[in-house]
């Protein structure tokens, strides 16, 4: 019967889909009072009022779970305050809620958020907030422009699920963001995101200081560097070391970890990566689409992503912006410490430490793309031999045998006052020509290492050995190209 | 008629109490007018500033106390809510005393635009316009227009990053080339037309008046992109209303020169 009526209405209102939908819903609700299909998130009714739980990074508020949409009161205080960027470097941060990034806001689709933005009276500047989760002009910025000592209230209904950035949008906008005025607001779908064991809040930002990276003292913001996008610091959660050492985030083996990762910018895009983990799931750009098995996910400035992974083995996993100099030179580095039982099948740890011999049989050569060319200039005097020999030494031998032929104790034998060297010149030529592997004793110390075969001409070998023999209290032996050639052609040597 | 008479009496009363006879400009300096390009000029072009005199220092708590004693309608307890919000003189204990820790020689803050305007008028002066204020404020110790100097901008920004300067006393910062103190480094100051940048749509052609100082429009409207210290002043002015009383906001007066 219902079906018949619906068909009839479908025909008669074919050109008026809005009306059709309305009646369709009505009919449906008559047939089944329990389940109401809502046309859109706009129609989700709210029940009761609730104070939003706000958290400082890296913590996140409790999941929404099954709760119904509510009127959610968010109290956010803006504080301009001095903090520490890294050891000895002070910076005046502008913050939402006293932290960089600002407090995490957790909502669900349909919530009506009543936002109270409070600008502390001690602050110097006016501020506002643009929440990317808001559907409306300026994302709330227009309605929230607030002078020091004042409070602005506005409200919005969250319509689209996802992870969104919020930030200050007061002129000069770039400066307000560069000083730390950003954070994340999560809009969970109805019923909430699937529950996981651990959830954390991480946000990257780039900072521009008048002094260069590490320069001590109170560092003012440098507008020119910001315009040039030449960051002194790129950090997670507002400072170097916010997520390392004692501040590291933690999990236990077997747990699933969900990271809400944002990027406040102002300028740089993040290539977010966790060393030693593969993201099982990534909500790309914080939206609905899920990608699986991701190594590195791109997080745009003013954007976010939700990444999830199960931790299977214990250890310290390093969170980085894989634009890697940012991680190791500018601060974009965090740690996830995982405790629990090892699983040797998944990851064995170091089993052996062997010598690697790509050519087998103890003879190695450095890979080369071209045939070597005879040196164009031939040494005519001992002085020239020493001069050319030194050049070859500095290019080829220096790294291991060091500047004064002293070698490196326990690893690379000395050439200075070397009994092994001075005892047999043909042997020395052979070593340079063919490389040397295995245990030898030099000046009473045992060495067991590998010297690769050197791609040098007879003349170059003659020169470099002459240089070595005539330096550092050695025997002052002179080596000629003919001597080298003789050894080269005699494979027994 | 009646109102005019009252006004005249009020004015004369002020002159009497403050011992001001005529156009003596005690505590003021002469500012020679000129033409310059402010951050937001009318049509982003040159504006003209006529000769005027400006208070050397911002108005202090002590001076405002005297004013209030003689003009009870501006007392904390009596002021009309229309002219000053609840915060008005928040750092005063009552109508006659400051709270402990608040210095008489500190600039008066927590004053509304209405109160500041009334004070200046009582003194036979007026609040400076934005153009006048910015004109004097672009000077440093040596130059009348120091905006191109890196050190000029740096000093101002250093202040923006120094907390609680409203507790400082007047005159601690060095005076600029005009002989005026504390335009930067102490408190923000009211201007007569503080809200004109935002509400006069015609001041920025091609930009409708909704797009205030948010996001992009601010950058487009500026004539001096690097003077971001000035950006912040304009943003501040845009955020306030005439009845606001703010901890960081004081004022000084100017006077026309005939």
């Amino acid at each position: 019967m219902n079906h018949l009526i619906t068909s009839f209405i479908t025909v008669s209102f074919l050109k008026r889909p809005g009306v059709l939908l309305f009646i369709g819903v009505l009919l449906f609700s008559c047939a089944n009072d329990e389940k109401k299909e809502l046309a859109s998130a706009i129609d989700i009714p709210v029940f009761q009022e609730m104070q939003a739980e706000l958290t400082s990074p890296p913590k996140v508020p409790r999941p929404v779970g099954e709760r119904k949409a509510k009127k959610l009161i968010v109290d956010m205080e803006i504080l301009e305050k001095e903090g520490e960027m890294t050891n000895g470097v002070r910076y005046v941060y502008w913050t939402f809620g006293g932290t960089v990034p600002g407090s995490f806001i957790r909502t669900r689709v349909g919530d009506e958020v009543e936002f109270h933005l409070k600008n502390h009276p001690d602050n110097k500047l006016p501020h506002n907030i643009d929440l990317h989760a808001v559907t409306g002009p300026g994302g709330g910025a227009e309605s929230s422009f607030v002078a020091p000592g004042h409070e602005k209230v506005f409200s919005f209904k969250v319509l689209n699920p996802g992870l969104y950035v919020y930030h200050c949008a007061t002129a000069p906008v770039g400066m307000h963001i560069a000083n730390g005025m950003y954070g994340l607001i999560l809009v969970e779908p109805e019923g909430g995101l699937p529950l996981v064991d651990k959830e954390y809040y991480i946000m990257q930002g780039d900072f521009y200081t008048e002094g260069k990276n590490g320069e001590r003292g109170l560092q003012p913001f440098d507008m020119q560097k910001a315009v040039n996008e030449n960051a002194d610091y790129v950090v997670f959660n507002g400072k170097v070391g916010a997520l390392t050492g004692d501040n590291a985030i933690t999990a236990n083996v077997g747990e699933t970890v969900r990271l809400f990762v944002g990027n406040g910018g102002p300028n740089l895009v993040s290539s977010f990566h966790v060393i030693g983990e593969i993201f099982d799931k990534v909500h790309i750009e914080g939206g609905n689409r899920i990608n699986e098995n991701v190594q590195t996910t791109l997080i745009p400035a003013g954007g976010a992503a939700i990444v999830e992974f199960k931790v299977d083995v214990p250890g310290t996993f390093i969170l980085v912006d894989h634009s890697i100099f940012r991680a190791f030179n500018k601060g974009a580095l965090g740690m996830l410490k995982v405790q629990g039982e090892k699983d040797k099948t998944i990851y064995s740890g170091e089993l052996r430490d062997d010598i690697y011999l790509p050519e087998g049989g103890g003879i190695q050569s450095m890979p080369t793309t071209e045939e070597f060319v005879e040196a164009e200039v031939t040494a005519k005097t001992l002085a020239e031999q020493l001069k050319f020999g030194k050049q070859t030494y500095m290019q080829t031998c220096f790294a291991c045998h060091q500047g004064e032929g002293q070698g490196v104790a326990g690893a690379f034998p000395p050439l200075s006052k070397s009994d092994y060297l001075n005892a047999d010149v043909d042997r020395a030529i052979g070593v340079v020509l063919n490389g040397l592997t295995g245990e030898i004793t030099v000046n009473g110390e045992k060495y067991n290492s590998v010297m690769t075969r050197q791609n040098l001409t007879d003349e170059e070998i003659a020169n470099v050995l002459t240089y070595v023999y005539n330096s550092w209290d050695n025997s002052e032996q002179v080596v000629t190209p003919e001597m080298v050639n003789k050894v080269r052609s005699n494979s027994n040597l | 008629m009646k109102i005019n008479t009252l006004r005249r009496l009020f004015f004369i009363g002020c002159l009497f109490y403050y011992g001001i006879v005529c156009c003596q400009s005690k505590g003021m300096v002469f500012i020679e007018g000129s033409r310059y390009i402010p951050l937001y000029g009318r049509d982003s072009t040159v504006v003209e500033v006529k000769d005027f005199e400006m208070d050397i220092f911002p108005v202090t708590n002590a001076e405002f106390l005297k004013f209030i004693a003689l003009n009870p309608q501006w007392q904390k307890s009596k002021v009309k809510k229309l002219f000053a919000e609840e915060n008005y003189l928040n750092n005063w204990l009552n109508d006659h005393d400051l709270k402990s820790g608040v210095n008489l020689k500190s600039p008066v803050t927590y004053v509304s635009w209405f109160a500041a305007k009334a004070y200046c008028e009582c003194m036979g002066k007026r609040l400076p316009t934005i153009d006048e204020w910015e004109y004097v404020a672009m000077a440093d110790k040596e130059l009348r227009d120091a905006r191109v100097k890196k050190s000029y901008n740096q000093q101002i920004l250093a202040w923006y990053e120094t907390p609680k300067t409203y507790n400082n006393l007047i005159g601690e910062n060095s005076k600029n080339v005009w002989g005026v103190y504390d335009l930067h480094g102490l408190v923000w100051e009211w201007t007569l037309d503080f809200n004109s940048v935002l509400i006069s749509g015609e001041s920025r052609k091609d930009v409708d008046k909704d797009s205030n100082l948010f996001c992009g429009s601010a950058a487009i409207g500026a004539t001096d992109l690097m003077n971001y210290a000035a950006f912040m002043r304009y943003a501040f002015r845009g955020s306030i209303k005439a009845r606001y009383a703010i901890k960081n906001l004081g004022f000084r007066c100017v006077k026309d020169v005939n």
Side-chain angles (χ1 to χ4, degrees), chain A residues 92 94 121-126 128 141-142 145 147-150 152 169-173 175 210 220-221 223-224, chain B residues 85 87 154 159-162 164-166 188 213-215 218 226 228 231-232 235-236 238-240 244 246-248:
Chain A
V92 176
W94 300 347
D122 281 351
N123 292 346
K124 281 244 160 63
L125 295 164
N128 62 7
E142 288 191 1
F145 193 37
H150 279 255
K152 284 282 174 76
T170 302
V173 182
M175 182 181 185
E210 221 157 83
F221 167 70
M223 186 67 154
Q224 191 59 54
Chain B
E85 64 179 353
N87 266 348
Q154 270 170 351
W159 167 51
Y160 294 165
E161 297 185 332
T162 310
K164 300 189 198 279
T165 48
Y166 48 80
W188 305 107
L213 278 161
F214 311 111
C215 289
M226 284 311 295
Y228 59 106
F231 259 140
M232 285 188 267
F236 182 86
S239 76
I240 55 182
Y244 280 14
I246 289 176
K247 202 173 189 174
N248 270 311

Side-chain angles (χ1 to χ4, degrees), chain A residues 131-163:
Chain A
L131 299 115
H132 292 180
V134 168
T135 307
E142 288 191 1
S143 327
S144 61
F145 193 37
V146 57
H150 279 255
E151 171 182 343
K152 284 282 174 76
V153 182
F154 66 105
S155 79
F156 57 93
K157 193 170 180 77
V158 282
L159 303 179
N160 307 63
L163 182 61

